[in-house]
Amino acid sequence: MSVKKSQDVEVQDIAAAKNTTIQVLIPSGEGPNFAMRKISMKPGGSMPLHTNTVEHEQYVLGGQARVGIGEQVYEVREGNVMFIPEGVPHFYETIGDKPFEFLCMIPNKEDVITVVD
């Protein structure tokens, strides 16, 4: 078991995204079943339509965004939870002038990300 401050965890840019960063709060080496990541998008930030080979469980910490999951588009905000099944195309676009931040838990399996044209 470990306890740390999230602000002490390295922040990295997400290459395929716009104005978006990731922090791996609990990496696969610390959690036996799941990794926990924090995604932060500045106003105007986005992630393109893509698929992953692992499911995502997500909890919105703050801000607002339009999130496409499969054929549906949702407007999400603080307190919303999202489930994205493996292989389902999804995207994120911030709404408004506040950062959009969420926690993302994924199983400790290989995750292949494919950007969809």
Side-chain angles (χ1 to χ4, degrees):
M1 181 169 141
S2 67
V3 175
K4 59 186 125 179
K5 294 180 180 179
S6 62
Q7 61 264 32
D8 293 340
V9 176
E10 180 183 10
V11 177
Q12 298 178 323
D13 290 329
I14 297 178
K18 177 182 174 188
N19 295 325
T20 301
T21 60
I22 186 170
Q23 289 177 283
V24 181
L25 301 174
I26 301 175
S28 59
E30 287 181 28
N33 299 304
F34 288 88
M36 178 188 291
R37 310 172 306 175
K38 180 182 177 188
I39 311 295
S40 300
M41 297 180 162
K42 293 179 182 174
S46 62
M47 269 197 243
L49 186 65
H50 65 283
T51 60
N52 297 77
T53 55
V54 297
E55 66 188 62
H56 293 24
E57 286 85 9
Q58 300 177 336
Y59 178 79
V60 180
L61 299 168
Q64 291 181 270
R66 219 177 276 68
V67 179
I69 304 172
E71 298 297 319
Q72 298 289 324
V73 177
Y74 304 91
E75 287 194 9
V76 299
R77 60 182 37 91
E78 181 179 341
N80 287 149
V81 296
M82 299 176 280
F83 174 71
I84 302 172
E86 65 182 71
V88 173
H90 54 288
F91 70 86
Y92 306 81
E93 299 172 344
T94 60
I95 299 172
D97 59 358
K98 294 183 181 175
F100 176 63
E101 297 184 319
F102 62 96
L103 294 178
C104 180
M105 281 62 71
I106 60 169
N108 287 337
K109 298 179 182 176
E110 182 180 4
D111 183 16
V112 178
I113 302 165
T114 304
V115 175
V116 178
D117 292 330

